[in-house]
Amino acid sequence: MRVLVIGGDGYCGWATALHLSNQGYEVGIFDSLVRRHWDGQLCVDTLTPIAPIQSRLQRWKDLTGKDIELFVGDLNDYPYLEKAMLQFQPEAVVHFGEQRSAPFSMIDREHAVLTQTNNVVGNLNLLYVLRDHFPDCHLVKLGTMGEYGTPNIDIEEGYITIEHNGRKDTLPYPKQPGSFYHLSKVHDSHNIHFACKIWGLRATDLNQGVVYGVLTEETGMDELLINRLDYDGVFGTALNRFCIQAAVGHPLTVYGNGSQTRAFLDIRDTVRCVEIAINNPANAGEFRVFNQFTEMFNVADLAMTVKKAGNSLGLDVEINHLENPRVEAEDHYFNAKNTSLLGLGLEPHYLSDSLIDSLLSFAMKYKGRVDKSQILPKVQWRR
Ligand code: NAD
Ligand code: USQ
């Protein structure tokens, strides 16, 4: 099967592109490389030294004999997107190609507008190419668990059946996102749902939790294939940040009291979930939603887990509770369903088994590259 991975130079996309290529799919990568540019603008860098995309792909070819076609372009450049898709002729498109940081989207008006324009318009362009040229192609779109927010009831997979004044309907699950970035994903979901309804497109929205880890079978094959691992206050995510903080002796940055709970998964499960979605396509006209995560943790418990693992490696790990820079509930109910992907065969990796191998050992190996001035959060939601 021919699969185009949009955002294939990024954290989830790179690991997924290599995994699919290794499994025998014909893979193409479409990426504007804008993420590398944003890192440069913010003066931040990944912990791990990532090679230019062309060198990465050449190394992959030398190692495995497998070719991954590269399209360097922007989803917002419609003529280029259309041309690339016509050249590649995808049977499935995996769409990771968005601005994905909540803090980045909350820096100021310009970053909120950039995030929503980049994400919503890019996704809309993709929907139009699919309508005009590939109506049967399966769109696998990366959404986020953060679309739901933290409601005081169980979170279902995309839809909820409601009885109201004696009538019953199954409706999209209510969305209460917590940043302009998370809102962009909600807008995408609505646009895809509508496109499936009116044009008969087939799509799967993968509402993914926070991803952790850096090692997959393929990215571990050679140092030139290494994946990015963000630790800065803008692009770094909770658990990855905690491990790198532990490695360099920086107190772990728990925001607020730390009882906010999120859904998490190992990057090795990200790549597998995408493969499962591709192998089990949505029906024509169907907008299907899977919640893509394996475990739920609150951030204070995560910090404690990292502290214990760090101690076992001889690290002296302190935990610090910072004033929360975000506007978010801390003490809240959180119970989300994730049975669809498990039902289709996902065999989860659990944090307790992978924290040291897939995270802490990398953090310790590359700790010399850490710029400690980039660790504390600088973006505030309130102003
Ligand atoms: P990333 O920033 O590492 O990668 C995104 C890639 O998309 C980058 O290589 C970037 O250059 C590319 N890109 C962005 N805008 C583009 C455009 N307009 N045209 C072409 N390419 C573009 O992000 P990631 O962590 O790999 O996240 C990938 C997707 O998964 C995002 O949609 C994100 O919302 C979702 N997601 C990520 C996480 C996580 O924890 N990392 C969790 C849930 C969902
Ligand atoms: N947090 C801390 N300390 C930190 C960093 C974060 O306590 O140093 C807390 C945050 O306040 C938040 C939680 O940890 O309550 C998660 O924050 P995060 O930065 O790990 O993740 P988030 O901003 O939600 O975004 C990340 C990805 C995004 C994806 C999302 C999945 O960047 O692309 O959509 O995770 S989810 O959280 O399920 O929405």
Side-chain angles (χ1 to χ4, degrees):
M1 195 194 290
R2 300 181 64 75
V3 184
L4 187 65
V5 179
I6 299 177
D9 186 47
Y11 174 52
C12 301
W14 175 241
T16 302
L18 293 192
H19 175 74
L20 294 176
S21 174
N22 210 18
Q23 297 300 310
Y25 297 81
E26 288 292 320
V27 176
I29 285 180
F30 183 104
D31 199 302
S32 61
L33 313 183
V34 67
R35 178 56 213 284
R36 293 176 186 248
H37 172 68
W38 291 328
D39 282 357
Q41 279 187 330
L42 295 170
C43 298
V44 300
D45 202 357
T46 141
L47 174 82
T48 41
I50 56 170
I53 182 74
Q54 293 83 356
S55 319
R56 287 174 141 185
L57 293 176
Q58 187 58 50
R59 188 78 191 116
W60 180 245
K61 190 173 176 185
D62 293 345
L63 269 180
T64 64
K66 293 172 196 289
D67 226 342
I68 295 180
E69 207 171 334
L70 175 65
F71 300 91
V72 177
D74 191 328
L75 277 180
N76 286 274
D77 176 354
Y78 187 79
Y80 182 76
L81 174 66
E82 188 179 40
K83 197 173 106 193
M85 296 262 291
L86 284 170
Q87 186 178 320
F88 186 72
Q89 295 283 319
E91 292 159 280
V93 172
V94 186
H95 178 15
F96 290 105
E98 301 206 321
Q99 191 302 99
R100 70 110 177 115
S101 155
F104 184 97
S105 76
M106 301 301 290
I107 292 175
D108 56 16
R109 184 193 68 81
E110 284 79 6
H111 288 81
V113 170
L114 185 163
T115 300
Q116 294 213 352
T117 310
N118 184 66
N119 295 0
V120 179
V121 177
N123 183 62
L124 200 50
N125 280 339
L126 180 58
L127 291 173
Y128 269 88
V129 181
L130 292 173
R131 181 198 73 164
D132 288 349
H133 302 292
F134 305 97
D136 210 33
C137 175
H138 181 204
L139 170 62
V140 177
K141 166 68 167 57
L142 269 291
T144 172
M145 285 301 292
E147 294 185 36
Y148 300 117
T150 51
N152 201 29
I153 56 171
D154 292 347
I155 295 173
E156 305 297 322
E157 300 201 62
Y159 298 90
I160 184 167
T161 301
I162 296 177
E163 229 178 294
H164 180 64
N165 293 345
R167 299 185 66 80
K168 201 172 165 183
D169 203 352
T170 298
L171 299 166
Y173 195 95
K175 304 289 175 75
Q176 303 182 79
S179 72
F180 286 121
Y181 151 71
H182 287 97
L183 272 153
S184 76
K185 309 296 269 192
V186 174
H187 304 326
D188 287 345
S189 296
H190 287 150
N191 286 342
I192 301 169
H193 194 176
F194 184 66
C196 290
K197 206 185 297 181
I198 59 171
W199 300 328
L201 299 183
R202 55 179 88 228
T204 303
D205 204 359
L206 295 175
N207 280 345
Q208 183 169 241
V210 187
V211 182
Y212 63 83
V214 67
L215 187 63
T216 56
E217 188 189 330
E218 294 78 16
T219 60
M221 284 181 186
D222 188 282
E223 194 154 20
L224 264 184
L225 302 177
I226 202 166
N227 204 348
R228 66 161 51 247
L229 188 60
D230 303 311
Y231 67 87
D232 62 278
V234 173
F235 280 104
T237 50
L239 182 53
N240 289 346
R241 268 164 68 68
F242 291 166
C243 287
I244 294 157
Q245 292 163 0
V248 297
H250 190 289
L252 309 192
T253 55
V254 173
Y255 298 165
N257 72 14
S259 31
Q260 57 274 44
T261 301
R262 294 291 181 272
F264 289 82
L265 75 164
D266 189 306
I267 191 155
R268 291 172 291 189
D269 292 335
T270 294
V271 305
R272 183 69 189 120
C273 287
V274 171
E275 186 187 1
I276 289 173
I278 292 171
N279 285 341
N280 298 276
N283 296 319
E286 184 185 13
F287 174 65
R288 189 175 63 169
V289 183
F290 293 162
N291 291 344
Q292 179 168 314
F293 68 92
T294 56
E295 294 177 279
M296 292 177 266
F297 302 104
N298 78 36
V299 289
D301 288 346
L302 273 184
M304 191 50 78
T305 304
V306 172
K307 181 179 164 73
K308 282 187 191 146
N311 290 345
S312 76
L313 297 172
L315 299 170
D316 182 15
V317 184
E318 265 180 60
I319 298 177
N320 203 358
H321 287 261
L322 307 176
E323 191 184 329
N324 197 332
R326 305 184 182 201
V327 176
E328 61 184 358
E330 290 176 9
D331 300 291
H332 61 85
Y333 180 77
F334 191 82
N335 186 33
K337 297 258 171 74
N338 64 342
T339 46
S340 296
L341 285 159
L342 294 171
L344 289 170
L346 175 67
E347 288 170 14
H349 292 82
Y350 293 110
L351 180 62
S352 49
D353 304 326
S354 56
L355 185 58
I356 293 181
D357 284 354
S358 99
L359 255 181
L360 270 170
S361 56
F362 276 82
M364 290 165 75
K365 178 168 180 195
Y366 293 104
K367 69 179 184 182
R369 287 174 48 89
V370 171
D371 175 355
K372 285 192 184 174
S373 73
Q374 295 295 348
I375 290 181
L376 287 175
K378 294 173 191 151
V379 182
Q380 297 281 335
W381 262 228
R382 286 183 177 80
R383 58 176 137 81

